[in-house]
Amino acid sequence: MKIIAANFKMNGNTQFIRNWFSNFNTDTENLVVVGLPAIYLENSVRNFNTSNLKIAAQNVSKFNIPGAYTGQISPAMLKDVGVEFCIIGHSEARDYFSEDNESIYEKYSCLKSVNIKSIVCIGESLEVREAKNQLNFISDQIEKFKTMEDEIIFAYEPIWAIGTGLVPTQDQIEEMSCHIKSHFSQKISVLYGGSVNSNNSSEILNMKNIDGVLVGGASLNAEEFANIAQS
Ligand code: PEP
């Protein structure tokens, strides 16, 4: 069983999401995780969560204790409405909201305390890869997690592959996945993300050290995403 995760980002509305779920063919042995904008989570959990389809948040506050954090949603609030997964550390959140490895780790810990599974996004820029520094860069991103003993789900998303149509070679993906796993003694899942679609998903999902995919753009089309989930 692999994890097939969708990230709608800031797309969709009530009608779009309703249509998406009615068009999405859930007939897969994989675990499907659908990351929705926060405002649609509660209703979607109520209507669309099943044993192999889980609704995910796309981000969360690093603060878990109620208080003066205007605009924030806490891990406990996600838990309250039945959310079981949360994407954290996405490169867009790191970039637009200055999130760093420290705050992403804090989010992971808070989510863990309420039993929500994180999908921790990591990935290097083109500049870092061109300087051949990608392995060290990823080691830094996961450094804080090394003390954790639980089964962590990372999504390796090279920034240069997100929304660009560029996909790393099989060797590049496998090398990074093995590199990530080499920091831990427990079972770690590594998803690949970056320009995944139904034409390349089988090849990616067949890679020995890849445990699933995280899909942005192509997930907005329910038929396309179902094809990925069934590949
Ligand atoms: C993403 O943003 O998580 C992502 C993988 O996007 P895309 O599939 O569009 O490259």
Side-chain angles (χ1 to χ4, degrees), residues 154-202:
F154 288 107
Y156 170 56
E157 301 205 299
I159 298 168
W160 48 275
I162 295 180
T164 58
L166 298 172
V167 178
T169 63
Q170 171 156 354
D171 286 352
Q172 288 172 325
I173 295 176
E174 286 280 20
E175 177 191 44
M176 190 56 84
S177 178
C178 292
H179 176 67
I180 295 163
K181 291 180 181 185
S182 73
H183 291 73
F184 301 89
S185 52
Q186 74 273 32
K187 181 179 184 301
I188 295 291
S189 295
V190 177
L191 318 186
Y192 167 76
S195 298
V196 174
N197 57 46
S198 60
N199 294 324
N200 59 24
S201 54
S202 303

Side-chain angles (χ1 to χ4, degrees), residues 7 9 90 92 157 161-163 193-196 214-217:
N7 176 11
K9 312 193 183 191
H90 194 279
E92 287 151 16
E157 301 205 299
I162 295 180
S195 298
V196 174
L214 176 54
V215 188

